[in-house]
Amino acid sequence: MGTNKNEIRPVQIGVYGLGNFASQLSWTMVSSYLILFYTDVFGLATGAVAILMLVAKIWDGMNDPMMGAIMERTSTRWGRFRPYIFIGAPLLVVFTILTFTVPGFGEKGKLIYAYITYIGLGMSYTVLNVPYTALPAVMTNEPKSINRLYAAQMVGMTTGMIILNLCTLPLVKFLGGGLQAAGYQKTATLYALISLPIFWFVAYFCKENITVRKEDQVPVKETVKAILKNRNLMLTIAYTIISMAGLFGRIGVAVYFYIYCVQDYRFITLFMMMQMIVGTIIMPISPKVMEKIGKRNTCILAMLLQSVSMALMFFGPYKNIPYLFLCHIIYGLGYVAGPCGSAMIIDSIDEYDIRNQVRSDGTAFAMNGLGTKVAAAIGSALGIAIIGWFGYAAGQDPTPGVQNGINIAANLVPMLFFLLSIIPLAMYNLSDDKMEGIRKAIYERNMAKQKAD
């Protein structure tokens, strides 16, 4: 490992945050609208969509550890991670457009096309996003700078989600000229083309300052063993899987809730982005909250806030618009924990490194990416399956039973996931004080190695 703390300039923090803004132009488009697109525009049955979500996301997640292992064994003048951002960006553009294109095939041909394009989209996102997420770990080893980088990443995410949810349905209507299929394709094309230069700008500007010498790299088998034996890392990944299953499960079916349960079309777009607006407002104070109460406790607080908001929405008068505003504000406050998961991964990597002399940052972030993909698979598939089980059919007016099923999928199930995610958090035991000593020890060890060389 390199020895410099490598202070990060404010402009680099801002540029890094732009990367997640660009990611949302594909990711949020997919997570918020793809299920609705598949059922109401593409013409797939809810059961077929549920299976597609499950299969594609699990396969997609399996690619993340492989991507991490490849990254860790890459050595170029651009670094280990940045070359893949350059390569992955145009692939993501192509597959985003293809995924939101309705081909002139029959039912079976459409389903095959959906599998090919959606799996291709996920693999492209893996090539791009695994190295992007891991970049802070190789940009600096100064804890406050790392926290600020991940806070910027979350601001970029929430800003992108707000803009996308604000613009998508109006753009689909405007660009499609009344034809939804054309509207979705043109909107996806516009977003994808905007994201491309942003990704390349991030890859060029966010330099890798922390290096791993080839002689310090370990075989793949040892890397996997190190990941599985890293208790705090596995707890962090478990938290990611459970909480993200709730998050993505809700995102995938939220639009059904607003259209078919709330049934007030004036506020659909606003409610789709309301929690992100709140999250964007509070995100800049997230590093301060993390420093005050610790990363783990910040996550626990966030999960409690989001559980309360889901309970209020499920059991309360969800057609009462002011009441829904309150629920979404509480939900958005939970975004205060946005940067914590990634920062906890770095803490886990450092703690294992000082005990065992093995560092596997690329694979660790890839495993967390795997957890996110598994969560998305579980959440998305479960949400649409519940709606289908209660009798939802595209183009039909919802019965009270269908509305109840949508409410369960959009609010009750996510609440249960959020509450369950507190269990692994309660077992995580790396405090900020402990990490300060560990990072000092790593710095001194690396300085000694450098002098010996």
Side-chain angles (χ1 to χ4, degrees):
M1 287 285 294
T3 56
N4 241 333
K5 285 187 180 280
N6 296 299
E7 293 289 341
I8 299 298
R9 290 173 293 156
V11 67
Q12 287 180 293
I13 294 173
V15 169
Y16 182 72
L18 277 176
N20 214 356
F21 171 84
S23 289
Q24 299 318 304
L25 297 179
S26 174
W27 183 251
T28 298
M29 182 70 175
V30 169
S31 58
S32 296
Y33 298 102
L34 185 61
I35 291 176
L36 182 69
F37 171 77
Y38 275 152
T39 59
D40 291 16
V41 181
F42 203 89
L44 298 179
T46 55
V49 175
I51 296 171
L52 168 59
M53 291 289 125
L54 191 63
V55 171
K57 283 296 180 185
I58 290 177
W59 166 251
D60 186 22
M62 290 170 61
N63 294 309
D64 282 43
M66 290 187 282
M67 187 66 217
I70 291 170
M71 285 160 41
E72 286 182 350
R73 285 151 186 84
T74 296
S75 179
T76 74
R77 67 187 185 91
W78 289 91
R80 294 183 295 155
F81 299 168
R82 292 192 298 155
Y84 297 105
I85 299 177
F86 279 109
I87 295 168
L91 292 175
L92 188 68
V93 167
V94 171
F95 278 100
T96 298
I97 296 168
L98 292 176
T99 299
F100 282 95
T101 297
V102 180
F105 302 152
E107 184 177 344
K108 185 176 180 180
K110 279 186 176 181
L111 185 59
I112 294 172
Y113 176 88
Y115 269 91
I116 293 172
T117 54
Y118 187 40
I119 289 173
L121 176 65
M123 294 176 71
S124 302
Y125 190 77
T126 294
V127 172
L128 173 68
N129 196 63
V130 170
Y132 168 75
T133 305
L135 263 181
V138 293
M139 289 175 68
T140 179
N141 53 10
E142 205 283 311
K144 289 185 178 179
S145 294
I146 291 172
N147 289 344
R148 291 182 185 121
L149 284 165
Y150 282 122
Q153 182 196 77
M154 296 305 297
V155 170
M157 181 194 78
T158 54
T159 303
M161 292 172 79
I162 289 169
I163 292 174
L164 189 137
N165 281 305
L166 178 66
C167 298
T168 296
L169 293 180
L171 278 174
V172 168
K173 184 177 180 180
F174 174 74
L175 295 177
L179 299 175
Q180 282 193 304
Y184 273 102
Q185 183 191 50
K186 291 177 180 178
T187 301
T189 300
L190 176 63
Y191 289 156
L193 292 177
I194 291 172
S195 71
L196 181 60
I198 298 176
F199 283 129
W200 280 345
F201 186 54
V202 172
Y204 176 78
F205 205 82
C206 295
K207 309 293 185 182
E208 296 184 31
N209 298 310
I210 310 298
T211 59
V212 175
R213 303 176 304 179
K214 285 188 177 181
E215 57 266 32
D216 290 336
Q217 294 176 352
V218 297
V220 174
K221 183 179 178 181
E222 292 301 315
T223 300
V224 173
K225 188 185 297 184
I227 295 294
L228 297 177
K229 286 185 175 181
N230 190 331
R231 176 183 178 275
N232 286 295
L233 176 62
M234 296 308 295
L235 288 171
T236 304
I237 292 172
Y239 156 69
T240 296
I241 293 173
I242 301 169
S243 63
M244 291 295 104
L247 176 66
F248 290 123
R250 183 168 204 283
I251 288 175
V253 297
V255 67
Y256 292 88
F257 177 70
Y258 300 125
I259 291 174
Y260 298 110
C261 294
V262 180
Q263 295 183 321
D264 193 328
Y265 289 84
R266 297 173 300 168
F267 296 101
I268 290 176
T269 298
L270 181 57
F271 284 140
M272 286 291 289
M273 65 180 186
M274 180 96 188
Q275 63 269 22
M276 277 82 78
I277 294 174
V278 178
T280 303
I281 293 171
I282 68 166
M283 200 65 67
I285 70 167
S286 182
K288 294 293 184 183
V289 176
M290 292 161 60
E291 290 168 21
K292 186 74 175 177
I293 66 174
K295 304 177 190 74
R296 185 195 70 168
N297 292 338
T298 302
C299 290
I300 292 174
L301 174 63
M303 293 301 96
L304 290 173
L305 286 169
Q306 294 190 326
S307 298
V308 168
S309 68
M310 294 293 95
L312 290 172
M313 218 174 296
F314 178 76
F315 293 107
Y318 57 70
K319 289 194 176 185
N320 184 313
I321 299 302
Y323 179 81
L324 271 187
F325 269 98
L326 174 63
C327 294
H328 283 80
I329 289 171
I330 296 172
Y331 188 63
L333 291 174
Y335 278 68
V336 71
C340 292
S342 296
M344 288 163 65
I345 291 173
I346 294 179
D347 287 352
S348 302
I349 293 168
D350 286 343
E351 189 265 345
Y352 192 87
D353 180 13
I354 202 63
R355 284 193 295 111
N356 298 281
Q357 310 297 307
V358 175
R359 190 168 188 89
S360 51
D361 42 11
T363 304
F365 276 96
M367 287 295 292
N368 195 62
L370 167 61
T372 301
K373 302 291 177 58
V374 170
I378 295 170
S380 301
L382 183 60
I384 192 62
I386 290 172
I387 290 174
W389 189 69
F390 275 85
Y392 172 82
Q396 296 183 12
D397 292 333
T399 64
V402 169
Q403 289 178 318
N404 184 45
I406 293 173
N407 193 17
I408 289 171
N411 298 311
L412 182 61
V413 172
M415 180 197 77
L416 296 175
F417 277 121
F418 294 147
L419 288 173
L420 286 172
S421 71
I422 295 175
I423 296 174
L425 287 173
M427 300 168 65
Y428 181 90
N429 63 7
L430 294 180
S431 67
D432 288 348
D433 288 342
K434 184 176 182 179
M435 290 311 304
E436 186 176 347
I438 287 172
R439 289 204 172 93
K440 182 180 179 181
I442 290 176
Y443 180 76
E444 291 173 351
R445 180 199 68 189
N446 293 340
M447 284 294 292
K449 280 187 177 181
Q450 190 177 58
K451 289 178 180 178
D453 291 341

